[in-house]
Amino acid sequence: MNEETRNKNGIGNEQKKSPGEKPAERKKIILSGIQPTGIFTLGNYIGAIRNWGVMQEEYHCAYFIADLHSLTVRQEPAALRKQSLEAFALLLACGIDPDKSLVFIQSHVHNHAELSWILSCNSSFGALSRMTQFKDKAARHADNVNAGLFTYPALMAADILLYQPDYVPVGEDQRQHLEFTRDIVEHFNGIYGNVFRMPEAYIPKAGARVMSLQDPAKKMSKSDPNPNAYISILDEPNVIINKFRRAVTDSETEVCFREGKDGINNLMTIYSVITGRSLDQIERDFAGKGYGDFKAEVGSAVAEKLRPIREDFARFMQDKEWLAQQYRRGAEKAAEISARTLAKVKKKVGLLMP
């Protein structure tokens, strides 16, 4: 690998300065992963992935497909491989540029599993047993309450700490895992010195939580048994528009954002994020118009916003060889970067280096 390729993704590589030149401020690092559990929803896109493409212009970014995490629930092997490739292609279709960001598949970098074991040995049973996601998944999959499900947070901590990020984009449902990671940093650094950087949560201010179109009291999810409750980012335009037309609202007709109008509040939030218009502006634009006009406009705006993603995804999936080149290149770079942290950790805990 030549020097130009070596520095292309930039994470952990600071530009050299001439003698006497004032050093530039270090570019912050952001890391995030997403499980290959099917096609992303509009909620995934608005709450997280939409921001990832923007962030790569300001930060050193690392994004990965968390396929090892998906094994805590028994998977159909062929389906998992297909979904992992589709998830990788979708990240690129959503604007993640492999020449600007580090993009890879978790299982392709063995350092994640190796550091996970070391961090598991530095995680208390009590802390792991308090994880709400473990309790929830154990209740839903009572026939497969495995050790991986229990130690899942240690692997997530390894995913994060290998790349020494400053920020980790998280939703409210992942805050507990990030706090667990922060506790590990405090514990490990307290014993072995300054090994890991303390990561901070990065939470978007607007549109971070998109609700179900059929039950606006709960979060939009692709696991919802009602297909009209969520938008897949690969849905055809007519499907998207029809789903918004069927969205649950209330018995009023005024398009305004206020308490008690959960359905309209959700649609206004979606429309605001997609179009960039403020809630006040949306209220003015639709003053005197009914919900039907508003739902149709939201559906059209979302369909148009997702159109290039759907087209690029189809194009990428037609070229499997190119996709393989991209994820192999990402894994090679990720292995090189993460090996630095892992070597430091192994030395600190007393392992004999090869």
Side-chain angles (χ1 to χ4, degrees), residues 49-102:
I49 301 165
R50 174 184 65 96
N51 299 300
W52 292 3
V54 176
M55 289 189 295
Q56 67 187 352
E57 303 301 332
E58 184 178 352
Y59 301 95
H60 286 316
C61 296
Y63 303 119
F64 65 94
I65 304 304
D67 56 341
L68 291 176
H69 286 296
S70 66
L71 297 180
T72 59
V73 176
R74 194 164 290 112
Q75 302 286 334
E76 200 288 304
L80 178 58
R81 284 189 288 271
K82 177 176 181 291
Q83 290 170 359
S84 297
L85 183 63
E86 289 177 342
F88 185 85
L90 268 177
L91 285 185
L92 304 190
C94 287
I96 307 303
D97 185 343
D99 287 336
K100 294 179 179 179
S101 296
L102 178 63

Side-chain angles (χ1 to χ4, degrees), residues 5-14 60 100 333 337:
T5 302
R6 183 184 304 278
N7 288 307
K8 184 167 283 187
N9 285 315
I11 298 176
N13 295 317
E14 302 301 328
H60 286 316
K100 294 179 179 179
K333 182 63 179 178
I337 295 168

